[in-house]
Amino acid sequence: MTVLVIGATGKTGRAVTRALASRGIAVRAAVRSADRQNMAYAAGAQSISVVDLETGAGLTEAVDGVDAVYHLAPNVHPDEAAIAGRVAAAAAAAGVGRFAFHSVLHPDDASMPHHLRKGEAEHVVRAALPRATVLRPAAYHQNLVEAARSGRLAVPYSLDTPFTNVDLDDVAEGAATVLTRHGHEGLTYELAGPEVLSVRDQAAVASEVLGRHVTAEHVPLEGWTTGPGASLPEQARADLLAMFTAYDRHGLVGEADTLRRLLGREPRTWALALSPPD
Ligand SMILES: NC(=O)c1ccc[n+]([C@@H]2O[C@H](COP(=O)([O-])OP(=O)(O)OC[C@H]3O[C@@H](n4cnc5c(N)ncnc54)[C@H](OP(=O)(O)O)[C@@H]3O)[C@@H](O)[C@H]2O)c1
């Protein structure tokens, strides 16, 4: 079996590639530029297709002969629905048997425009491929692991609102399951972690697990806008500011039972993500 993984040099694409390769599945990695193909090979890809998601160049060749496609969009991309449409149409035209789309938790949350674009992309995918599987992951534990290890969780939103972050390797394992086993066609799965933790709670757990003090700090929005957010394209900055405001109001919370069933075990906790077993 061969699976085409879109965005295979990125954080999610590499995790999905690793999960498929560990099951002995051949991965064809769709990369934007051959310059970065070594990242996909290092994750376990067996072959490479150069694809430009913004124009569709290379897609017909990339889907040719594969059994399944894992589609994800570049982070906060303004044209996500059109990209999903191109990838799904190419897969449909090639008669690809299975298709999974990496969406997001709560794609109907109107306070976050980039979530709404994921919802739109889901509709576009389902219109082309009614049997596609949709995965809706919560925020990843891994977004904050490096910061926790550096001793400082500094975020531009509330330290006290609730999150059910999920382990990226659990999401990738779930993706590998829906791409390689029957029974998931046409279904939508919310993938959230097993604990409800605020950033302040995460800092406390990290202090305990790592054996040294990890601080939780609120960065004012203006500090983020003129700091890390300054180099982003305007729309990406606006999307993320809307997300921080939504996180301030209600965090991001989902249910873990679907992931538990999909994995056949307890999803990984924040403590495990910080200190994975050897
Ligand atoms: N982070 C989270 O907590 C989270 C949670 C739920 C859902 N998601 C969703 O997961 C998705 C992937 O996120 P990520 O963090 O894995 O993203 P990422 O690390 O930025 O990876 C994006 C991938 O897309 C590729 N790409 C970008 N523009 C392209 C183009 N024009 N043509 C072809 N490939 C292109 C990138 O290639 P290069 O390596 O060449 O740049 C990279 O491989 C996003 O849609 C995000 O919303 C994320």
Side-chain angles (χ1 to χ4, degrees), residues 200-219:
R200 204 184 298 281
D201 295 332
Q202 286 174 293
V205 171
S207 300
E208 201 171 310
V209 170
L210 300 175
R212 62 198 158 81
H213 187 57
V214 177
T215 60
E217 294 171 34
H218 179 259
V219 180

Side-chain angles (χ1 to χ4, degrees), residues 114-140:
H114 72 299
H115 279 227
L116 289 184
R117 293 203 296 276
K118 285 263 192 302
E120 217 184 306
E122 288 186 8
H123 289 302
V124 167
V125 165
R126 278 266 160 69
L129 296 160
R131 288 167 60 76
T133 307
V134 173
L135 300 182
R136 294 176 171 174
Y140 310 148

Side-chain angles (χ1 to χ4, degrees), residues 6-14 30-33 36 39 51-55 72-77 80 83 102-105 114 118 136-141 143 166 168:
I6 302 289
T9 53
K11 191 196 295 195
T12 307
R14 279 179 288 136
V31 302
R32 170 165 41 177
S33 158
R36 286 161 72 79
M39 293 174 77
V51 167
D52 185 349
L53 294 170
E54 289 179 357
T55 63
L72 56 84
N75 220 355
V76 291
H77 195 287
E80 186 156 339
I83 288 176
H102 189 90
S103 181
V104 74
L105 188 63
H114 72 299
K118 285 263 192 302
R136 294 176 171 174
Y140 310 148
H141 288 319
N143 297 345
V166 66
L168 176 54

Side-chain angles (χ1 to χ4, degrees), residues 91-186:
V96 173
R98 278 200 193 122
F99 191 100
F101 172 52
H102 189 90
S103 181
V104 74
L105 188 63
H106 307 326
D108 53 353
D109 185 335
S111 62
M112 293 186 277
H114 72 299
H115 279 227
L116 289 184
R117 293 203 296 276
K118 285 263 192 302
E120 217 184 306
E122 288 186 8
H123 289 302
V124 167
V125 165
R126 278 266 160 69
L129 296 160
R131 288 167 60 76
T133 307
V134 173
L135 300 182
R136 294 176 171 174
Y140 310 148
H141 288 319
Q142 280 71 14
N143 297 345
L144 292 177
V145 164
E146 208 179 309
R149 289 199 181 125
S150 78
R152 182 170 174 255
L153 288 182
V155 295
Y157 49 87
S158 169
L159 301 179
D160 296 303
T161 50
F163 290 85
T164 51
N165 292 358
V166 66
D167 195 288
L168 176 54
D169 288 331
D170 283 350
V171 173
E173 195 178 322
T177 296
V178 307
L179 289 163
T180 57
R181 306 236 175 101
H182 289 294
H184 307 286
E185 295 83 358

